[in-house]
Amino acid sequence: RLLTFRSRGGTREATEWITAIKQRLSYLVKAAQAQKRLAQERRDDIEDDSTTYSSTQFLKSGWLLLKGSGNSYVRGMSANGGFQRRFCRISADGCLSYHRDEKSPALATITLGTKARLSSESNACCDFFVRVESRDFVFRTNEPIEAKQWVEALCSAIRNAEWKKKQLEQVADE
């Protein structure tokens, strides 16, 4: 439908109105495209497995030994020197969760983001650390190469989370 515009201010005011309307339409189109892109990324993150975790893509999952915190009642009583066997998952959105077994809910979820610091320097070559705020999580694998793979997956999850955060900030700024 054709709209007519009558202005008392003349051609200059009409041109300003048209420019403002074009800018607003451009903004709305960009916002719709960004929403469509984010919705597609969310759909891409969905796996086709039948587990209860089917809505999340995991970069790595498997069994690790997790050192209990300093105030744990089992500390010193474990045959593994305070380490407990936990099933761990690293999600593509930058979270590390650990569970009693593959099907149980998470005992804890660690949001990695930029607050996590990874280090594989230790006396035990199969240990790696995740520092979040004031706590160090110490994990142990059976083989050094396995520890390296876990650290690489953690770094990848942190990069993914930082990238997604930047994308959302860009959409918000547009």
Side-chain angles (χ1 to χ4, degrees), residues 123-171:
N123 292 339
C125 62
C126 300
D127 289 359
F128 61 94
F129 307 86
V130 177
R131 173 170 277 180
V132 180
E133 294 171 359
S134 63
R135 176 158 180 210
D136 282 337
F137 292 87
V138 182
F139 295 91
R140 181 173 286 170
T141 62
N142 293 326
E143 299 291 328
I145 189 73
E146 193 179 0
K148 183 179 179 196
Q149 291 169 346
W150 277 94
V151 170
E152 288 172 355
L154 286 164
C155 289
S156 179
I158 290 170
R159 282 192 303 272
N160 287 348
E162 288 172 350
W163 180 82
K164 282 190 176 186
K165 181 180 176 186
K166 285 179 187 175
Q167 293 297 316
L168 291 173
E169 288 171 354
Q170 286 177 354
V171 169

Side-chain angles (χ1 to χ4, degrees), residues 14-71:
T15 304
E16 289 173 0
W17 272 98
I18 291 170
T19 303
I21 291 169
K22 284 181 179 178
Q23 288 174 343
R24 181 67 179 160
L25 284 173
S26 175
Y27 168 79
L28 291 173
V29 167
K30 286 179 183 178
Q33 289 170 342
Q35 279 185 323
K36 186 176 179 181
R37 223 178 17 252
L38 289 173
Q40 181 62 42
E41 287 175 13
R42 280 189 224 113
R43 282 193 294 273
D44 291 345
D45 285 346
I46 297 174
E47 291 183 335
D48 290 332
D49 65 358
S50 60
T51 67
T52 57
Y53 302 99
S54 62
S55 64
T56 305
Q57 180 181 5
F58 297 108
L59 299 177
K60 186 155 183 68
S61 61
W63 289 98
L64 294 171
L65 294 174
L66 171 64
K67 188 162 186 102
S69 61
N71 58 3

